[in-house]
Amino acid sequence: MTTGQRPVPVPADPTPADAFVFGRARRFADRTAIRDDAGDWTYADLAGLSSRGAHALLDGKTDLAEARVAFLVPPGAAWVATQWATWRAGGIAVPLALSHPPAELAYVVDDAEASVLVTHPACADRAVPLARDRGLRLVDASTWHAPAAPDRAPSERPPELPPPGRRRAMIVYTRGSTGRPTGVVSTHAGVSAQIRTLVDAWGWRADDVALHVLPLHHVHGIINVLSCALWSGARCIMMPRFDAVGVWQHFAAGEVTVFMAVPTVYHRLIAAWEDADAATRAAWSSGARRLRLMVSGSAALPVTTLERWREITGHTLLERYGMTEIGMALSNPLDGARVAGTVGTPLPGVEARIVGEDGLPVAAGAQGEIEVRGLQVFLEYWRRPAETAHAFHDGWFRTGDIAVIEDGRWRILGRASVDIIKTAGYKVSALEIEDGLRQHPDIVDCAVIGMPDADIGERVCAALVPRADARLEPDQLRDWARERMAPYKVPRELRLVTELPRNALGKVTKPALRELFP
């Protein structure tokens, strides 16, 4: 779907400086880059802010030499300036989560061995004691907001960095199914490769307007939306926090062309639309239809959500597959058929394969673990050489995700550790069972796990969120399920809950569900 506007092309033939996202700012100097609570900021504004920030971080040095710069800054121009300033000064950016409590923030700062903490007055209540207790140099990003000026004065320019290579750019912390968060290290070359791939695959252009509602301590928000928009000369409207009605109002205004979110966000947007009156619904739907691209990722998208969203907006959400360690690896097409429950095919420049337990590629139609290699793959787990070595197999990154290729399209079956249930001699996908259960008219959401069982290996257990006025009887629900799925897929245990435990990106934290099934 298009907006009917004539595309503004992105200039070609990048110079070496353009290999960095901040180096491309000079191409779009007078264009608006960011809209936040403070107003509009041009690319020249960001260049000036980040230049002054780089000098503040360097503090007389010539190069931070990959020193870690942690930052707790709200979404907006200050966040972008802090990331760019860190890179321009030669440091490694370590974005912190605004939603995390002090103990979680302290863990990341300590694990990354950060020497500097950049903050903003809006976050000072947490940042100041954190820096004080750990003896970190505290830098206030708001002090860089001197009168905006293009980055032209030689005295303002930080040292020029070499073209991207193996130099470390960013550490993003991710939590696996067990253990403490682990720092995933990306190089400048890897970040650039991720951005270039998505800009090309998803048709980013300079006249795009992206609405940003995602957390900025995950690659989804950092790379897929913000960095792709700024690489392309587009404008990014950054909401301080997700608000369903506010998002719909932005759609209705007709300015937004690109929107990316997680399934939970789309579920909440649907609920807000259904609560609105008929006239408001019509205005919201009409505005949404004018967007050219809507993407869902970071968690499995229920088929029921995809279908309802299509009914409301006319958009078939573009599903893709990626993770912190690899960026985006698979994607449904920008133009062409998008099949519900699938994540398309490997993106250009990405090599992906499915292997069995023996580490060899599986036969056509067989399920196995996804392995990926390419320039966009991360460099290492920070300070964890053994985990890094274990994560790779002959140069291929072992994702831990299980998939199958059906009619040329990849279907994700779940995490090998939590979503593949071995029961009664069968391997079944928890995600497949979840999609089946969501077809029940009285089930709003659900999550399925496998619990140890002496007789059958693992028994299928389901936590269900019923509609407010529903009266679900376990025996009746099992009878309903037996008519729609194989006997070994029917949950043996059911628990009704008011909500499912989720992380910041909307993924269900399945280890927490095990407490429901002793």
Side-chain angles (χ1 to χ4, degrees):
M1 303 183 72
T2 64
T3 62
Q5 300 172 339
R6 181 172 175 269
V8 177
V10 177
D13 300 321
T15 63
D18 289 336
F20 299 98
V21 64
F22 59 79
R24 295 174 59 85
R26 62 188 182 188
R27 291 176 167 234
F28 313 108
D30 297 328
R31 294 181 63 84
T32 299
I34 297 293
R35 176 175 297 167
D36 61 17
D37 283 351
D40 287 351
W41 303 81
T42 66
Y43 281 85
D45 292 335
L46 296 182
L49 288 171
S50 63
S51 179
R52 290 188 287 275
H55 277 286
L57 294 175
L58 286 166
D59 195 27
K61 300 183 179 70
T62 58
D63 188 341
L64 289 184
E66 296 190 343
R68 275 70 64 203
V69 177
F71 52 101
L72 189 66
V73 177
W79 194 99
V80 177
T82 302
Q83 183 196 55
W84 287 12
T86 301
W87 288 348
R88 298 180 75 171
I92 301 176
V94 185
L96 300 176
L98 294 176
S99 60
H100 285 185
E104 291 279 350
L105 298 175
Y107 169 81
V108 172
V109 168
D110 290 344
D111 188 77
E113 300 176 309
S115 57
V116 181
L117 177 61
V118 179
T119 190
H120 184 274
C123 308
D125 59 331
R126 286 178 291 166
V128 170
L130 182 62
R132 182 191 61 233
D133 293 346
R134 277 154 177 76
L136 303 179
R137 184 161 71 95
L138 187 67
V139 178
D140 183 353
S142 68
T143 62
W144 308 340
H145 290 202
D151 191 12
R152 294 173 183 157
S155 60
E156 272 202 345
R157 287 185 183 148
E160 291 291 333
L161 294 176
R166 300 289 281 179
R167 187 162 179 152
R168 296 167 179 83
M170 184 166 60
I171 303 178
V172 173
Y173 276 77
T174 182
R175 188 189 298 275
S177 58
T178 60
R180 301 299 300 274
T182 302
V184 175
V185 181
S186 297
T187 64
H188 281 287
V191 169
S192 177
Q194 290 182 34
I195 297 170
R196 287 175 181 272
T197 293
L198 296 183
V199 166
D200 180 60
W202 294 344
W204 280 95
R205 60 200 195 205
D207 62 349
D208 270 326
V209 178
L211 180 61
H212 198 303
V213 299
L214 294 167
L216 282 168
H217 60 285
H218 290 282
V219 293
H220 194 168
I222 298 171
I223 300 295
N224 298 17
V225 186
L226 182 60
S227 296
C228 285
L230 297 180
W231 183 277
S232 306
R235 187 184 340 151
C236 197
I237 301 172
M238 305 189 74
M239 297 183 70
R241 65 193 61 82
F242 172 73
D243 172 68
V245 172
V247 169
W248 279 116
Q249 290 172 341
H250 275 294
F251 291 167
E255 187 178 23
V256 177
T257 66
V258 176
F259 183 70
M260 301 185 189
V262 299
T264 301
V265 164
Y266 287 109
H267 179 76
R268 292 174 181 172
L269 289 172
I270 290 170
W273 186 92
E274 291 176 340
D275 286 343
D277 58 57
T280 301
R281 288 180 178 182
W284 286 356
S285 293
S286 176
R289 288 190 180 93
R290 293 197 291 271
L291 273 73
R292 73 167 187 86
L293 176 63
M294 290 184 167
V295 179
S296 178
S298 295
L301 177 68
V303 174
T304 51
T305 302
L306 180 143
E307 292 174 344
R308 185 61 175 142
W309 189 255
R310 184 163 50 203
E311 292 171 358
I312 291 172
T313 68
H315 281 271
T316 299
L317 292 170
L318 187 153
E319 295 180 74
R320 85 304 181 278
Y321 164 79
M323 59 194 306
T324 307
E325 290 88 341
I326 61 175
M328 298 304 107
L330 308 167
S331 175
N332 271 284
L334 177 64
D335 300 308
R338 302 171 190 169
V339 178
T342 70
V343 290
T345 58
L347 285 159
V350 178
E351 291 183 83
R353 66 181 186 179
I354 297 177
V355 301
E357 294 180 357
D358 57 3
L360 299 176
V362 300
Q367 69 179 49
E369 181 181 3
I370 302 172
E371 292 189 340
V372 175
R373 70 180 179 186
L375 187 59
Q376 83 287 351
V377 175
F378 80 123
L379 177 66
E380 63 191 351
Y381 290 119
W382 180 250
R383 299 195 314 168
R384 290 170 172 82
E387 289 183 32
T388 302
H390 180 70
F392 288 87
H393 168 234
D394 291 338
W396 293 82
F397 173 68
R398 305 163 59 185
T399 66
D401 287 322
I402 305 301
V404 64
I405 302 176
E406 300 171 346
D407 298 325
R409 298 180 178 90
W410 293 55
R411 182 183 299 276
I412 308 300
L413 301 178
R415 294 292 293 172
S417 57
V418 294
D419 289 321
I420 301 302
I421 302 171
K422 298 178 181 179
T423 180
Y426 296 92
K427 286 185 180 180
V428 299
S429 167
L431 305 186
E432 179 187 358
I433 298 173
E434 290 166 4
D435 266 341
L437 292 174
R438 290 192 188 98
Q439 302 301 316
H440 193 286
D442 289 332
I443 294 178
V444 175
D445 204 357
C446 65
V448 171
I449 61 173
M451 292 297 292
D453 188 282
D455 294 327
I456 58 174
E458 289 182 296
R459 63 187 185 277
V460 178
C461 302
L464 309 172
V465 181
R467 295 191 183 280
D469 57 349
R471 304 181 102 181
L472 285 176
E473 295 293 337
D475 289 341
Q476 293 177 353
L477 181 57
R478 272 190 283 268
D479 289 341
W480 176 89
R482 287 190 187 98
E483 296 176 359
R484 292 162 175 80
M485 58 183 70
Y488 53 85
K489 296 179 182 178
V490 176
R492 295 197 172 206
E493 292 188 49
L494 300 168
R495 296 288 186 275
L496 301 182
V497 297
T498 55
E499 62 180 1
L500 300 173
R502 297 180 182 274
N503 63 16
L505 280 181
K507 291 184 180 179
V508 174
T509 51
K510 291 195 172 181
L513 292 178
R514 297 186 179 279
E515 298 178 7
L516 297 176
F517 304 96

